[in-house]
Amino acid sequence: MGASLSLVPVLDYFARREFLAAGLRPGEVTLPHPDGGAGANCTVHYWAPPGEPRLPPLLLVHGFGPRATWQWRCQVGPLSRHFHVIVPDLLGFGGSTYPSEAPPPSEATQAAALAALLDALPGVEGRRVAVAGTSYGGFVTYWLARAVGPERVGPVVIASSDLLKTAADDRGFLKRAGDGWSGVEQVLLPAEPAAMRKLLEMASYRPPPAVMMPDFVLRDFIQKLFTENRERLIHLLKGITVGTDKFQVTPLPQEVLIIWGDHDQLFPVEKAFAVQRCLDGKASLEIVKKTGHAPQLEDPARFNKVMVDFLLAAQNPGPTVNRSSP
């Protein structure tokens, strides 16, 4: 009986229902591939309300993990009351594709595809768009904001995203994970239930109890989320340029909010303060207590309030308040 039970379609159903209830509908556009030659195209799948925006556009960029609908399911409803919410799949994730012969997309490539998507959507071309990214999506968000400038993108929200990540941080990650792991990808792209449990333990403040995650359930998640896409995900990992000379972090001209969980073991909270300092200390910083790597899921009410307050204040600027806490 256990072998035939799959929770993935159930979670898909409830996540899609949240998106549909918020007025978003799925769509896709075919665009010239940023790294391709003549005739090379990519397809970008996205969720957005139909028609031209009646509210300010807001782009939500997912991380290197489960589907975008899972990662933003607690945000689309509250945010859609104030914004025209657009949730794309990055190239190589979900329904978005790129040519098989192309190199793995870097953050710069992903950002260029998102810029092209915004230009292709009805009524969004030429408008200033707020952007929020979580984890790997924060890398892409930073690059997009820097590449196209404040006339096109801003304000900016970077959540749980270590823009300063280096090989030393990867070694620290493995040390926190404990013995038995030879590489970060063993945990981030789990192939066995033990690795999946470790990932949940490190990503969550309150991971699901073991009794709720028997091996057969974890194997199903691994099969649906990782095994079927393993080669593509490994290819995508090779495209990440954070921590190299190709990804230099400099202050952004846009208003920036950094959000971080205080118990994040993937990117420890002290990195939030390092990122803030690297952005000239001008970015607002909100530490969400009792959350891990996904504060938008573990404390969505707090996350949504902080984000909405920041974005609305950026549209109607008043006295600047820095929310940093030690």
Side-chain angles (χ1 to χ4, degrees), residues 59-84:
L59 184 72
L60 300 180
V61 188
H62 66 81
F64 201 104
R67 303 153 178 22
T69 49
W70 292 18
Q71 295 186 41
W72 294 116
R73 67 184 185 275
C74 297
Q75 280 63 58
V76 288
L79 292 178
S80 65
R81 298 171 197 148
H82 305 278
F83 303 98
H84 182 91

Side-chain angles (χ1 to χ4, degrees), residues 5-209:
L5 175 65
S6 176
L7 292 179
V8 174
V10 177
L11 294 175
D12 272 337
Y13 168 77
F14 282 107
R16 287 175 63 89
R17 192 171 73 168
E18 294 289 343
F19 274 59
L20 292 169
L24 278 66
R25 299 294 181 267
E28 65 177 37
V29 294
T30 299
L31 304 165
H33 186 251
D35 288 346
N41 292 323
C42 61
T43 299
V44 179
H45 178 273
Y46 65 91
W47 287 79
E52 298 192 2
R54 292 178 293 174
L55 295 169
L58 169 62
L59 184 72
L60 300 180
V61 188
H62 66 81
F64 201 104
R67 303 153 178 22
T69 49
W70 292 18
Q71 295 186 41
W72 294 116
R73 67 184 185 275
C74 297
Q75 280 63 58
V76 288
L79 292 178
S80 65
R81 298 171 197 148
H82 305 278
F83 303 98
H84 182 91
V85 177
I86 305 162
V87 186
D89 290 332
L90 293 170
L91 296 179
F93 295 89
S96 295
T97 62
Y98 61 94
S100 58
E101 66 276 9
S106 65
E107 298 89 343
T109 302
Q110 298 281 16
L114 292 184
L117 169 67
L118 294 176
D119 286 341
L121 293 178
V124 180
E125 182 180 8
R127 292 190 62 171
R128 195 167 192 250
V129 179
V131 182
T134 180
S135 194
Y136 170 73
F139 304 163
V140 178
T141 293
Y142 172 82
W143 196 284
L144 175 63
R146 192 175 70 176
V148 304
E151 296 79 15
R152 188 71 174 97
V153 161
V156 175
V157 179
I158 295 173
S160 310
S161 185
D162 184 4
L163 304 178
L164 305 174
K165 188 179 81 68
T166 65
D169 292 303
D170 287 342
R171 292 192 293 271
F173 173 91
L174 290 174
K175 185 175 180 179
R176 292 189 298 276
D179 296 335
W181 313 104
S182 59
V184 171
E185 67 280 356
Q186 274 190 295
V187 179
L188 296 183
L189 301 177
E192 298 293 339
M196 188 72 181
R197 285 196 182 91
K198 179 58 66 175
L199 176 59
L200 291 170
E201 172 191 317
M202 296 187 71
S204 309
Y205 173 67
R206 290 191 181 91

